[in-house]
């Protein structure tokens, strides 16, 4: 995925200005920045949910306007666990949604779709919960369901927007090991948006600091150096943040 | 025991009633979960204008009601895109349709029995043309719901993720609202304009709190609605009651039984 001089504004308020970067296959990119810095705008541009005011975005070598294979891009939304907790759907049903776009309109899910969902549940470590009603699970378990949903599409690129908000420390720790496994063993390209600098710099290979403009750093030179590069980093704690 | 089924009008009522029950109860699960429960009621009142126009100008009233209902459904979608809140948009069209109906009635110098049968439903008034329309459009709508079931499910659960995964959310939302408009018009012959929304709202609301999966909810909602139609029509026949009202009272009884079950037995 490549951004070239991309700008986006809400009315007269610029959210992102002149952002350029490229994400290569196998990268694990952490995106950090304070609240209101444009992190979520960046994600929505990557997903094609917003159109840039200027500049160009390329996804898997195609211009984003022409790109149709959205099932290749997995997405775990911000506040994913903020859904209607009374919604009657099992873990398996929710994870299956990841296959719908790939299966195509008016097609019933096939045996291959079912296998892919089972595999995704297995990777996310929630096979034993597949028949539970999603609202009955804990926050950490629900988060895994949404990861399984994204994985079920067998994406080449997985984008996660503040996935650890509202999840306890132990679940967060397990979650980061899962991401490392996806990136390391399965070679999946990951983009992880967070304001939790401490956790994120331990895992990622590239770090992007977003604050209307964006700067990219190679973490291999050292996490501290990269974190320092983001001048606001000192204001961002490493404890989990909860905000509604 | 089932001797009432030998009458043609009862056979027609059962056929139409069961098809409509399936249709409205399935759509209802999607609408109730999306906080759009009042859409059915709104569209029914809008179709009142179409019924009045049909009776006054001599068209087949269900067709003009269908035109009113579908156009209003598209209008509600349009207003939503123009940042009018969707409940406000429904309320607006609701009054608009009723106002047209009232004005047309005043032009025709008052109520007549025909109009009354559309307001409160009348199984005696269901004729062969109605049955053909209900079977043709009802089956078509059910097939559409089945074909797009997985997309409607995804959008109902999480619209943004559905959009991000490449599902054409806007077009499917428009389709769901048009399917609702059709279901509402088909139902008014049996239950009447005033009671249509109960077919959409009550079976779904009864099924949702007791179901664990989405598939189960759809099946339970359809089952509750179908059983209520059968029991309601039988009661209406034996006790000489208004069929629409009898069916709705059975639905309400099912809903309160579910609440009692949850409170006293399932605990």
């Amino acid at each position: 995925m490549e951004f070239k001089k991309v700008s986006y504004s809400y009315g007269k308020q610029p959210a992102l200005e002149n952002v350029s970067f490229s994400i290569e296959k196998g990268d694990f990119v952490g995106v950090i920045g304070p609240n209101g810095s444009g992190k979520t705008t960046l994600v929505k541009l990557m997903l094609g949910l917003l159109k840039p005011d200027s500049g160009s975005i390329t996804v898997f070598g195609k211009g984003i306007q022409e790109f149709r294979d959205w099932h290749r891009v997995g997405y775990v939304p911000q506040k994913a666990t903020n859904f209607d907790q009374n919604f009657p759907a099992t873990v398996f049903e929710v994870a299956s949604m990841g296959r719908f776009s790939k299966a195509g309109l008016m097609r019933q899910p096939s045996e291959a779709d079912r296998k892919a969902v089972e595999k995704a549940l297995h990777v996310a470590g929630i096979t034993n919960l597949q028949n539970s009603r999603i609202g009955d699970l804990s926050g950490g378990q629900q988060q895994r369901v949404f990861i399984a949903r994204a994985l079920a599409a067998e994406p080449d690129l997985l984008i996660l927007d503040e996935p650890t908000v509202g999840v306890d420390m132990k679940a967060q720790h397990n979650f980061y090991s899962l991401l490392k496994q996806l990136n390391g063993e399965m070679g999946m390209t990951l983009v992880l948006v967070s304001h939790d600098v401490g956790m994120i710099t331990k895992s990622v290979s590239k770090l992007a600091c977003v604050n209307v403009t964006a700067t990219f750093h190679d973490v291999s030179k050292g996490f501290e150096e990269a974190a320092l590069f983001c001048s606001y980093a000192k204001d961002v704690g490493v404890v989990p943040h909860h905000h509604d | 025991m089932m001797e009432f089924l030998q009458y043609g009008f009862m056979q027609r009522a059962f056929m139409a009633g069961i098809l409509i029950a399936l249709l409205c109860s399935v759509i209802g699960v999607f609408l109730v979960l999306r906080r759009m429960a009042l859409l059915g009621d709104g569209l029914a009142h809008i179709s009142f204008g179409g019924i009045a126009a049909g009776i006054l100008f001599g068209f087949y009233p269900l067709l003009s009601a269908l035109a009113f209902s579908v156009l209003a459904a598209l209008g509600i979608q349009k207003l939503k895109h123009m940042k009018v809140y969707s409940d406000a948009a429904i309320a607006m069209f609701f009054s608009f349709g009723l106002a047209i109906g009232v004005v047309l009635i005043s032009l025709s110098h008052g109520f007549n029995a025909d109009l009354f049968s559309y307001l409160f439903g009348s199984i005696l008034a269901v004729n062969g043309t109605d049955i053909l329309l209900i079977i043709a459009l009802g089956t078509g709508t059910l097939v559409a719901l089945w074909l797009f079931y997985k997309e409607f499910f995804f959008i109902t659960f999480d619209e943004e993720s559905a959009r991000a995964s490449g599902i054409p959310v806007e077009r499917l939302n428009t389709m769901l609202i048009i399917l609702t408009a059709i279901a509402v018009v088909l139902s008014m012959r049996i239950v009447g304009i005033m009671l249509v929304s109960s077919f959409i709202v009550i079976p779904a609301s009864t099924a949702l709190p007791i179901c664990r999966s989405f598939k189960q909810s759809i099946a339970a909602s359809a089952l509750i609605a179908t059983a209520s139609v059968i029991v309601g029509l039988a009661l209406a026949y034996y006790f000489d009651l208004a069929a629409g009202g009898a069916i709705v009272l059975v639905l309400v009884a099912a809903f309160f039984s579910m609440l009692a079950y949850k409170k006293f037995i399932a605990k």
Side-chain angles (χ1 to χ4, degrees):
Chain A
M1 176 170 285
E2 192 174 15
F3 273 50
K4 272 189 193 152
K5 296 186 174 174
V6 171
S7 297
Y8 186 84
S9 55
Y10 296 100
K12 283 179 183 157
Q13 186 72 36
L16 285 175
E17 271 177 357
N18 217 8
V19 172
S20 298
F21 63 86
S22 72
I23 298 169
E24 309 298 333
K25 187 170 171 22
D27 277 351
F28 186 168
V29 183
V31 179
I32 58 175
N35 287 331
S37 59
K39 298 190 299 288
T40 294
T41 306
L42 185 69
V43 167
K44 288 190 168 164
L45 286 164
M46 286 178 168
L47 292 166
L49 295 174
L50 295 175
K51 286 200 181 82
D53 298 338
S54 61
S56 69
I57 304 174
T58 318
V59 190
F60 295 117
K62 265 194 179 167
I64 198 161
Q65 278 83 15
E66 289 88 55
F67 186 71
R68 289 289 170 273
D69 298 328
W70 282 107
H71 59 83
R72 293 183 68 187
V73 183
Y75 171 47
V76 180
Q78 189 176 19
K79 295 179 187 164
T81 54
N82 206 6
F83 63 95
D84 171 7
Q85 297 290 326
N86 293 319
F87 198 101
T90 61
V91 166
F92 191 90
E93 284 181 316
V94 174
S96 304
M97 292 172 185
R99 299 293 296 182
F100 290 173
S101 172
K102 199 172 191 169
L105 286 174
M106 298 197 276
R107 298 263 173 79
Q108 301 306 311
S110 66
E111 184 61 24
D113 289 320
R114 207 177 56 81
K115 287 245 165 68
V117 174
E118 280 171 0
K119 194 174 156 213
L121 291 170
H122 177 72
V123 172
I126 47 172
T127 303
N128 56 330
L129 297 172
Q130 61 175 313
N131 294 320
S132 307
R133 178 166 158 144
I134 181 150
D136 295 339
L137 308 185
S138 71
Q141 290 169 328
Q142 288 180 359
Q143 180 197 50
R144 283 175 175 260
V145 178
F146 291 103
I147 291 173
R149 181 174 78 183
L151 293 179
E154 298 168 324
D156 299 308
L157 167 67
L158 181 59
I159 301 173
L160 308 106
D161 188 3
E162 304 250 13
T164 53
V165 171
V167 176
D168 66 59
M169 280 307 279
K170 186 168 172 287
Q172 282 194 29
H173 185 78
N174 292 337
F175 167 74
Y176 282 106
S177 348
L178 172 61
L179 291 188
K180 272 186 182 164
Q181 183 197 343
L182 291 175
N183 178 245
E185 292 168 28
M186 303 170 75
M188 194 177 287
T189 312
L190 300 181
V191 175
L192 173 62
V193 178
S194 180
H195 56 244
D196 186 353
V197 180
M199 274 296 210
I200 208 170
T201 46
K202 280 181 201 145
S203 314
V204 301
S205 60
K206 276 186 186 172
L207 194 61
C209 304
V210 181
N211 201 351
V212 184
T213 56
T215 44
F216 273 72
H217 313 284
D218 199 327
V219 177
S220 55
K221 289 172 194 153
F223 305 127
E224 289 78 11
E225 194 186 325
L228 274 174
F229 215 96
C230 304
S231 54
Y232 52 81
K234 61 181 188 299
D235 302 321
V236 182
V238 291
V239 290
H241 288 244
H242 299 275
H243 53 166
D244 300 305
Chain B
M1 169 190 155
M2 301 292 261
E3 79 269 18
F4 56 93
L5 277 181
Q6 55 194 281
Y7 297 103
F9 76 93
M10 282 308 280
Q11 289 168 358
R12 285 196 293 273
F14 264 89
M15 235 189 320
I18 289 172
L19 195 56
I20 286 161
L22 290 173
L23 195 56
C24 290
S25 58
V26 172
I27 288 181
V29 172
F30 295 109
L31 294 185
V32 168
L33 284 170
R34 302 180 75 173
R35 308 290 184 279
M36 287 164 70
L38 279 176
L39 178 65
D41 210 19
L43 290 173
H45 284 78
I46 291 157
S47 351
F48 175 70
I51 295 283
I55 292 174
L56 183 64
F57 299 115
F59 316 122
Y60 178 41
L62 283 187
L63 275 188
S64 48
L66 203 56
F68 266 61
S69 178
V70 170
L71 285 176
L74 293 172
I76 289 168
Q77 275 297 91
K78 191 84 195 157
L79 284 188
K80 217 171 118 187
H81 289 146
M82 296 165 82
K83 309 274 181 231
V84 177
Y85 291 111
S86 63
D87 52 348
I90 292 170
M92 191 130 62
F93 274 96
F94 183 120
S95 328
F96 182 39
L98 266 185
I100 292 179
V102 171
V103 166
L104 291 178
I105 291 163
S106 70
L107 284 179
S108 71
H109 305 292
F111 258 82
N112 61 32
D114 217 12
L115 192 64
F116 197 79
S117 84
Y118 282 101
L119 275 178
F120 297 102
S122 160
I123 51 168
L124 289 171
V126 178
N127 60 37
T129 318
D130 296 338
I131 283 289
L132 279 180
L133 186 77
I134 289 172
I135 290 178
L137 282 181
T139 313
T141 309
L142 273 177
V143 169
L145 284 171
W146 181 71
L147 285 175
F148 295 101
Y149 164 82
K150 68 183 194 307
E151 284 81 12
F152 286 141
F153 170 45
F154 197 169
I155 296 171
T156 302
F157 184 73
D158 180 353
E159 194 168 303
E160 194 195 35
S161 296
R163 192 174 283 125
S165 80
I167 287 172
V169 170
E170 298 312 324
R171 269 181 285 163
L172 286 164
N173 278 344
T174 304
M175 183 195 260
L176 184 65
I177 198 169
I178 290 175
L179 294 178
T180 308
I182 295 171
V184 160
V185 171
L186 298 184
S187 310
M188 64 175 54
R189 217 54 186 119
I190 304 285
V191 280
I193 289 171
M194 310 297 280
L195 296 174
V196 162
S197 73
S198 59
F199 254 39
I200 290 176
V201 177
I202 304 175
S205 307
T206 310
L208 290 176
I210 50 173
C211 290
R212 200 175 48 182
S213 77
F214 196 74
K215 275 214 171 89
Q216 241 178 32
S217 311
I218 298 264
S221 182
L223 193 70
I224 292 163
T226 310
S228 301
V229 163
I230 293 170
V231 175
L233 283 177
L235 288 175
Y237 176 82
Y238 286 113
F239 299 101
D240 199 17
L241 310 170
I247 293 169
V248 174
L249 289 178
V250 174
L251 281 172
V252 173
F255 176 75
F256 282 105
S257 311
M258 178 280 296
L259 286 186
Y261 168 80
K262 275 214 84 162
K263 189 161 170 56
F264 298 113
I265 301 172
K267 275 288 155 192

